[in-house]
Amino acid sequence: MHAMKTSMIIWDFDGTLLPNEPHDSEQTLMLYKLRETGEKIPFFIRALALILLYADQKEHLRKVFKRFYIRFMTGTAMDIFDPVCTRLAANISEADRQAIMQLANQGYRMIVLSCGTANLCEKTLQKAGLAGCFESIAGNRFESENGKISTMTLYIPNPEDKVRYLVKRKIEPGRCMAVGDGYTDIPMLDWAKISVLIDRTERKQIKYAHKNYHFVRSLPEILNIEQDRITHRA
């Protein structure tokens, strides 16, 4: 790949930089609070949390899940992010870490745009030794008061907000590669000149076969995409 051809790579986080095995970062955070903090949570709230977790895994009730997630996590100590992100970082393979670092070393500007929780993105990438590869990480941010989660500021609540973020900063789609894994990334993938869909299970290629996307099963495969395009043109 040559940085002069694609100057910026825009990454999604959950399912892209972080494999969902089997839960994404927000689901993992909720499960940690439910199962490992020892906090007394009413049965009804526990049951509702698990129902919405399952729905979110199946890509249903996204906005309902987000509203519940924010209320459920409010009042939780901010230090919960440390053990959860340590666990999440362990899910990023050495091969994926090397691929990300190689792209950064080749001179690509890289940013992360997530409809998820920025606090989780930042600390997970930090614990994986990758935070320095990205010039910015944008998502929805938990705010704190007296060391506890007080509210969430929604900077990128919806898939379309990723494109709005890029347009507002006058980032040119013709000089961008976008990398995502699913439905919250479609507007961003459609906007960018080069679009890469991470399909680790090879189930999404059929669903999005009508799109002009590159389908890859792992991050190291991205290293070859632009070179392949140049060779094909030749």
Side-chain angles (χ1 to χ4, degrees), residues 4-139:
M4 68 181 68
K5 294 290 182 181
T6 305
S7 62
M8 178 171 283
I9 302 177
I10 307 151
W11 298 88
D12 171 52
F13 182 70
D14 286 295
T16 303
L17 289 168
L18 176 73
N20 294 340
E21 296 181 346
H23 303 104
D24 69 16
S25 61
E26 292 185 338
Q27 295 160 8
T28 301
L29 183 66
M30 281 182 60
L31 284 169
Y32 187 90
K33 177 173 177 174
L34 278 168
R35 296 173 176 173
E36 300 188 48
T37 60
E39 185 176 337
K40 293 182 179 179
I41 300 169
F43 174 81
F44 172 75
I45 300 299
R46 285 182 173 274
L48 184 56
L50 292 172
I51 290 168
L52 290 176
L53 272 164
Y54 180 78
D56 195 51
Q57 277 185 287
K58 299 298 181 182
E59 300 185 348
H60 301 310
L61 303 176
R62 183 177 64 85
K63 291 184 179 182
V64 176
F65 170 83
K66 183 69 78 174
R67 287 196 294 269
F68 178 86
Y69 166 75
I70 295 168
R71 291 183 65 181
F72 182 74
M73 295 308 304
T74 297
T76 305
M78 288 290 287
D79 61 14
I80 194 174
F81 292 113
D82 194 67
V84 171
C85 292
T86 297
R87 184 171 300 176
L88 292 172
N91 288 336
I92 303 176
S93 70
E94 183 60 29
D96 283 358
R97 297 184 198 206
Q98 290 299 323
I100 294 163
M101 288 189 282
Q102 187 171 337
L103 289 166
N105 290 336
Q106 288 177 352
Y108 289 92
R109 296 174 59 201
M110 300 201 295
I111 64 175
V112 178
L113 296 185
S114 174
C115 291
T117 302
N119 315 69
L120 290 168
C121 301
E122 289 171 345
K123 189 167 282 290
T124 299
L125 292 172
Q126 178 187 358
K127 287 182 175 293
L130 297 170
C133 295
F134 304 96
E135 61 180 55
S136 63
I137 298 170

Side-chain angles (χ1 to χ4, degrees), residues 127-163:
K127 287 182 175 293
L130 297 170
C133 295
F134 304 96
E135 61 180 55
S136 63
I137 298 170
N140 306 303
R141 185 171 297 280
F142 276 128
E143 312 294 349
S144 65
E145 186 174 330
N146 299 322
K148 295 184 177 181
I149 294 170
S150 58
T151 187
M152 173 175 270
T153 303
L154 298 172
Y155 294 103
I156 307 181
N158 300 305
E160 300 78 12
D161 295 315
K162 293 186 178 185
V163 176

Side-chain angles (χ1 to χ4, degrees), residues 180-195:
D181 77 301
Y183 74 120
T184 62
D185 304 308
I186 299 306
M188 179 179 76
L189 293 173
D190 289 345
W191 171 87
K193 180 180 180 180
I194 303 172
S195 305

